[in-house]
Amino acid sequence: MDSYDITSNTILEPRDDMEFESHEAAYSFYKEYAKSMGFGTAKLSSRRSRASKEFIDAKFSCIRYGNKQQSDDAINPRPSPKIGCKASMHVKRRQNGKWFIYSFVKEHNHELLPAQVHFFRSHRNVDPLKNDVRIRRRKNLAAVSKLFNAYQNVDCLETYMRNQHDKGRSLVLDPADSQVLLEYFMQMQEENPKFFYAFDLNEEHRLRNVFWVDAKGMEDYTNFGDVVSFDSTYFTNKYKISLVLFVGVNHHIQPTLLGCALIADETVYTFVWLLQTWFLAMGERAPQVILTDQNSAIKAAVAAVFPETRHCFSLWNVLEMIPRHLEYLSPWHDNFMEKFYKCIYRSWTEEQFEKRWWKLVEKFHLREVQWIQLLYEDRKHWVPTFMRGISFAALSTPSRSESLNSLFDKYVRGETSLREFIEQYRVILEDRYEEEAKADFDAWHETPELKSPSPFEKQMSLVYTHEIFKKFQVEVLGAAACHLKKENEFETTTTYEVKDFEDNQNFMVEWNESKLDIYCSCRSFEYKGYLCRHAIIVLQMSGVFSIPSKYILQRWTNAAKSRHVISERLDEMQSKVRRYNDLCRRAIILGEEGSISQESYSMALSAIQEALKQCASLNISVESNARPITSDVLSVCATEEENQFGNTSKDKVPYPLVVNTNGNSSRADTGRGKGSNQATQQLTWNVRTQDGCHQMELSDMRPTQLHNFVQTPLQVLPTMFHNVAPTQFHNVPTTHLLDSRLPR
């Protein structure tokens, strides 16, 4: 028999002829084997000799070995990974002190996860080099970048009238910061060709605004672009860097970074340029809801670029401005805030809000305060009473500390320099991706624990992600502390008053059984995206024991990233979620195996292409009104290998988009850009080529001219960064400096 050497690089499967120096050595071997296979381990049992007191027997198992045992009266049961798996290794000690494998069970009753194995507790910090978080994150990001195709074509940028007194304003950057920004964009372009960025120049060819977003941000917007927060806090509060962020939220209630920008001012022009550029980067898909600060310039820009999008002000932004605009009310602040909260939170109807608002204005003599007048004019942008039918997906909260945006505050402080932020930006992306991967792993690895016999809890346990389910579970349990009383009934609509004994408050719930419409004055669904305990108790007492499908947002489900809308039938929805999760787990295994060699990659790619083709054809034949997606899906796979292996030369990188606003541009007769609803001023591109400087309007170009224009290298950086010495750009390849979407 051969003793097993744990230092060997080859991980073998346990065999009967293996021997170990100790039971700890045997466990170390089993852990290494488990790590290579993709499951966690645990020491199941061990036994000592009664005579010598030495260990003589030990058993190690998969972390999912056995069945969870939970008493019925457990107050706060903990989730358990145990699902009856039998995989294990039993070792015993010989008379000579050596340990041998007494029995070994290889088969598992669940999928193995080699790509996420570092999340298992038994495999953390085993190998500091291989387990280094930063290394893993960079590998993960590199893998994600391969999932994206080249940019689509775009319409030419159009802009709006700008204030003439702002003519020539430029972004204030130190020479060193300018160089850092350029080098970072070049580096990101080389690592990920789908990285998007664009520069806006003023009349003097000086840098005015900068925008950029990584490929993961664009993919996140595809899945979670219903609600977006445009956060200008760092710019408004005069931070050292004039930073603004586009923030979204994924299905695990985690913030996603959908874009960053550095801006020179807060004029309508700047915000229109920024929103339009972001709109192009996101595939020309407007969000359903956009949250911003209360700012007249932003308001005008959103109305111009996104006329169909519901524009709302962040509630915390409005509340935080009260002390600034009503400073003289300090002696009566507490009394004012009490009345103010009652007005905006406790008003059940618009008429009730109007009555309380004007009573508040008269009581504190605020009728002549300009900000109060503006706040009232914009009431439909921020007052909760007017938010019926909207979902903010947890992005609008009463205070910034509770908002998801505040999570970025740990990366950006008042004194943070541009160089420091650029260094932190990569960390932000890595942290966001790591947290999402961990949440996905938990969702696949553990099933949520039910804490009540409620049919609502059981229904959503298989649909919601873990994080949303835990929050919804609190509402289900809280329904026991609610008592309802019918207030009135009008045709098909019944209004109830629900007493919440936990909060010691009364809430109004409106229920239309024929339409399955339910609305609560606590507005949980609008602000959080799931029904509250007050609505649940009304449904229960009305004989409805499942959540209506219209109140199950796909963005909060395990099928959030699916390209098809979830079914309205509960059983079909749950079956789809199970199938979706199972395919995701198998895809990870296929990715691991298929990436080992070019041959295995080609085989896996061919299998995926064939499976996609057959599935798409089947789905189209079954659902006659389904969207035809076969060609789009197959084109992704067909070009993937070409993008990875055939198009790696530098001359294939798209040329940059540099926007230069010309004050003498002619007025457009009609707005051609998507979202334009007024006469606009055309953007021209000032392009410095090898033959000299040319000024072009895309609308005036013939197709052949446009083709030649796209192929022309740009040499504009020395004039953009006016405070950077020309010698600093001597070795900078112009084809890698900027990247953006270009017309075909």
Side-chain angles (χ1 to χ4, degrees):
M1 298 182 186
D2 298 327
S3 295
Y4 176 73
D5 182 7
I6 193 65
T7 62
S8 173
N9 292 327
T10 303
I11 306 301
L12 303 176
E13 184 177 299
R15 303 191 312 268
D16 293 343
D17 61 344
M18 288 183 175
E19 283 191 343
F20 307 92
E21 295 298 324
S22 65
H23 71 288
E24 289 294 343
Y27 182 56
S28 296
F29 162 75
Y30 190 64
K31 281 207 303 182
E32 287 297 320
Y33 165 73
K35 187 176 180 181
S36 67
M37 298 299 294
F39 65 94
T41 63
K43 294 180 179 179
L44 190 63
S45 63
S46 60
R47 186 165 57 92
R48 294 177 183 267
S49 168
R50 293 184 179 179
S52 64
K53 305 301 182 184
E54 293 180 344
F55 284 105
I56 59 173
D57 185 283
K59 189 172 184 178
F60 319 120
S61 68
C62 170
I63 195 68
R64 312 201 77 169
Y65 185 93
N67 296 297
K68 54 186 176 183
Q69 297 179 354
Q70 185 68 56
S71 60
D72 295 335
D73 59 348
I75 298 176
N76 189 25
R78 299 175 63 183
S80 171
K82 297 182 178 181
I83 58 171
C85 181
K86 300 295 185 182
S88 61
M89 187 177 83
H90 191 178
V91 296
K92 291 190 175 186
R93 184 175 180 269
R94 301 183 188 277
Q95 291 293 332
N96 62 1
K98 300 286 187 180
W99 289 74
F100 69 98
I101 298 177
Y102 179 75
S103 65
F104 169 63
V105 178
K106 177 182 178 180
E107 292 73 20
H108 298 258
N109 67 346
H110 55 90
E111 295 292 344
L112 303 183
L113 304 172
Q116 287 82 31
V117 72
H118 57 277
F119 287 125
F120 288 109
R121 185 175 302 174
S122 58
H123 300 313
R124 294 175 188 169
N125 301 321
V126 174
D127 185 334
L129 180 60
K130 293 182 180 179
N131 203 47
D132 182 80
V133 172
R134 301 296 176 197
I135 294 177
R136 287 203 319 274
R137 289 172 179 170
R138 292 192 182 106
K139 289 174 64 179
N140 287 339
L141 285 173
V144 169
S145 69
K146 297 178 182 179
L147 298 177
F148 302 92
N149 273 333
Y151 296 132
Q152 302 170 3
N153 66 307
V154 299
D155 298 331
C156 64
L157 280 176
E158 298 187 43
T159 187
Y160 294 80
M161 292 295 292
R162 55 187 292 196
N163 297 330
Q164 290 303 309
H165 67 271
D166 285 318
K167 187 175 181 180
R169 183 172 296 185
S170 61
L171 193 63
V172 179
L173 290 178
D174 295 333
D177 287 344
S178 302
Q179 186 67 18
V180 166
L181 194 62
L182 285 171
E183 290 176 353
Y184 178 72
F185 286 168
M186 291 167 58
Q187 180 183 358
M188 290 297 290
Q189 174 66 45
E190 290 178 358
E191 293 180 3
N192 184 355
K194 309 308 178 287
F195 182 82
F196 180 105
Y197 52 107
F199 287 172
D200 172 33
L201 309 182
N202 65 12
E203 292 79 0
E204 289 77 27
H205 282 237
R206 294 180 179 178
L207 186 62
R208 179 181 174 95
N209 303 303
V210 185
F211 169 79
W212 71 94
V213 61
D214 73 307
K216 181 65 165 59
M218 288 184 275
E219 190 232 2
D220 284 339
Y221 182 76
T222 300
N223 297 316
F224 309 108
D226 51 342
V227 186
V228 174
S229 173
F230 176 66
D231 190 356
S232 58
T233 301
Y234 307 121
F235 179 84
T236 305
N237 292 348
K238 310 300 181 184
Y239 278 43
K240 189 173 181 179
I241 54 174
S242 54
L243 178 70
V244 293
L245 303 175
F246 291 88
V247 180
V249 57
N250 68 11
H251 53 323
H252 301 300
I253 327 181
Q254 298 169 338
T256 59
L257 194 54
L258 305 179
C260 300
L262 299 174
I263 59 177
D265 53 42
E266 50 183 341
T267 60
V268 174
Y269 165 78
T270 288
F271 289 125
V272 166
W273 178 88
L274 181 55
L275 291 176
Q276 183 74 357
T277 304
W278 177 78
F279 175 61
L280 295 176
M282 297 298 126
E284 301 185 48
R285 298 182 304 274
Q288 297 175 21
V289 178
I290 186 168
L291 283 158
T292 73
D293 293 347
Q294 184 195 15
N295 181 296
S296 58
I298 296 178
K299 181 182 175 184
V302 171
V305 181
F306 302 129
E308 304 300 325
T309 295
R310 181 65 185 268
H311 180 202
C312 300
F313 299 151
S314 299
L315 196 54
W316 60 264
N317 176 255
V318 173
L319 297 177
E320 285 187 353
M321 286 197 295
I322 291 177
R324 185 187 314 169
H325 290 278
L326 304 177
E327 185 177 1
Y328 66 93
L329 283 178
S330 297
W332 305 279
H333 180 268
D334 292 342
N335 189 23
F336 171 79
M337 293 306 297
E338 180 183 351
K339 301 292 184 183
F340 188 81
Y341 282 140
K342 182 179 180 181
C343 176
I344 65 172
Y345 286 122
R346 310 299 294 167
S347 295
W348 171 244
T349 63
E350 296 179 16
E351 293 75 15
Q352 196 172 35
F353 166 78
E354 294 279 345
K355 181 179 179 181
R356 288 175 174 172
W357 177 266
W358 292 115
K359 184 178 179 181
L360 179 73
V361 168
E362 294 298 333
K363 179 179 177 63
F364 292 95
H365 308 288
L366 302 174
R367 188 175 289 273
E368 302 303 320
V369 179
Q370 185 177 0
W371 180 69
I372 289 293
Q373 296 173 3
L374 185 61
L375 209 57
Y376 176 74
E377 292 174 5
D378 290 335
R379 60 192 179 279
K380 293 186 179 180
H381 291 275
W382 67 276
V383 177
T385 307
F386 297 90
M387 300 301 146
R388 183 179 296 203
I390 295 178
S391 175
F392 291 116
L395 279 175
S396 183
T397 57
S399 67
R400 180 173 174 83
S401 61
E402 300 175 37
S403 71
L404 294 174
N405 302 46
S406 66
L407 294 178
F408 295 102
D409 292 347
K410 66 180 180 179
Y411 304 102
V412 186
R413 296 180 174 84
E415 67 280 3
T416 301
S417 67
L418 179 60
R419 178 183 291 272
E420 291 170 336
F421 176 73
I422 291 299
E423 293 173 353
Q424 286 292 313
Y425 178 73
R426 189 184 293 274
V427 177
I428 294 174
L429 299 182
E430 293 170 348
D431 286 349
R432 296 298 99 214
Y433 191 81
E434 182 81 1
E435 290 182 13
E436 182 178 345
K438 177 63 167 63
D440 285 337
F441 173 83
D442 290 341
W444 296 333
H445 185 61
E446 296 179 352
T447 54
E449 191 80 34
L450 299 181
K451 298 183 179 181
S452 76
S454 168
F456 302 110
E457 184 183 14
K458 182 178 180 181
Q459 173 193 5
M460 304 315 299
S461 66
L462 298 175
V463 178
Y464 279 151
T465 61
H466 279 18
E467 290 72 16
I468 286 292
F469 176 73
K470 290 174 184 176
K471 293 180 178 294
F472 177 76
Q473 193 175 51
V474 171
E475 298 303 313
V476 172
L477 299 177
C482 295
H483 178 266
L484 78 164
K485 179 178 67 174
K486 183 184 293 186
E487 285 291 303
N488 56 68
E489 187 171 355
F490 179 73
E491 294 181 351
T492 59
T493 301
T494 306
T495 303
Y496 296 89
E497 181 183 72
V498 178
K499 173 71 173 180
D500 190 335
F501 289 96
E502 185 174 338
D503 293 337
N504 196 28
Q505 293 187 42
N506 293 329
F507 297 91
M508 302 300 295
V509 179
E510 192 177 89
W511 166 237
N512 186 320
E513 188 170 1
S514 62
K515 296 182 179 179
L516 293 180
D517 287 341
I518 194 161
Y519 177 70
C520 179
S521 61
C522 79
R523 302 176 182 89
S524 172
F525 182 76
E526 284 74 14
Y527 283 89
K528 300 176 182 178
Y530 51 86
L531 288 185
C532 61
R533 62 191 65 184
H534 321 117
I536 289 174
I537 192 66
V538 169
L539 291 177
Q540 184 174 311
M541 297 305 293
S542 301
V544 178
F545 299 106
S546 64
I547 303 297
S549 59
K550 67 176 67 177
Y551 297 107
I552 304 175
L553 300 183
Q554 179 158 338
R555 64 154 16 265
W556 290 146
T557 71
N558 289 310
K561 296 184 179 181
S562 172
R563 58 187 168 85
H564 289 302
V565 179
I566 56 178
S567 171
E568 294 186 358
R569 290 183 55 189
L570 174 61
D571 55 346
E572 293 181 5
M573 183 192 307
Q574 291 174 335
S575 297
K576 177 171 182 176
V577 171
R578 292 192 192 99
R579 294 193 299 268
Y580 180 83
N581 287 343
D582 183 60
L583 287 173
C584 285
R585 286 190 285 264
R586 295 177 186 273
I588 290 175
I589 298 173
L590 178 62
E592 287 289 318
E593 294 294 330
S595 62
I596 293 177
S597 66
Q598 178 62 42
E599 291 74 16
S600 62
Y601 169 81
S602 300
M603 181 179 295
L605 185 62
S606 176
I608 291 175
Q609 289 176 336
E610 182 62 26
L612 276 174
K613 182 178 180 180
Q614 293 184 14
C615 288
S617 299
L618 178 62
N619 290 335
I620 290 175
S621 63
V622 173
E623 304 170 10
S624 58
N625 61 341
R627 177 169 57 90
I629 48 84
T630 309
S631 60
D632 295 337
V633 174
L634 293 181
S635 66
V636 173
C637 294
T639 58
E640 181 67 24
E641 184 171 6
E642 180 182 358
N643 289 338
Q644 290 189 47
F645 303 110
N647 269 345
T648 57
S649 61
K650 292 185 178 181
D651 61 346
K652 295 296 183 181
V653 178
Y655 287 106
L657 172 64
V658 182
V659 182
N660 181 70
T661 305
N662 189 319
N664 298 321
S665 297
S666 59
R667 295 281 293 274
D669 295 331
T670 58
R672 287 194 302 272
K674 294 186 179 181
S676 302
N677 61 353
Q678 54 181 306
T680 64
Q681 193 175 7
Q682 284 292 342
L683 268 189
T684 63
W685 288 0
N686 278 8
V687 185
R688 182 163 300 183
T689 69
Q690 295 174 347
D691 299 324
C693 186
H694 305 276
Q695 186 178 87
M696 302 182 181
E697 270 194 24
L698 291 185
S699 58
D700 298 331
M701 291 185 186
R702 295 189 299 273
T704 54
Q705 290 178 309
L706 188 59
H707 175 76
N708 293 333
F709 170 72
V710 172
Q711 298 301 321
T712 302
L714 300 181
Q715 298 173 338
V716 298
L717 288 175
T719 55
M720 286 170 45
F721 295 92
H722 61 283
N723 47 6
V724 181
T727 54
Q728 292 179 281
F729 299 95
H730 180 68
N731 294 321
V732 177
T734 57
T735 55
H736 282 70
L737 290 175
L738 302 172
D739 184 28
S740 186
R741 294 164 177 257
L742 292 172
R744 283 189 287 195

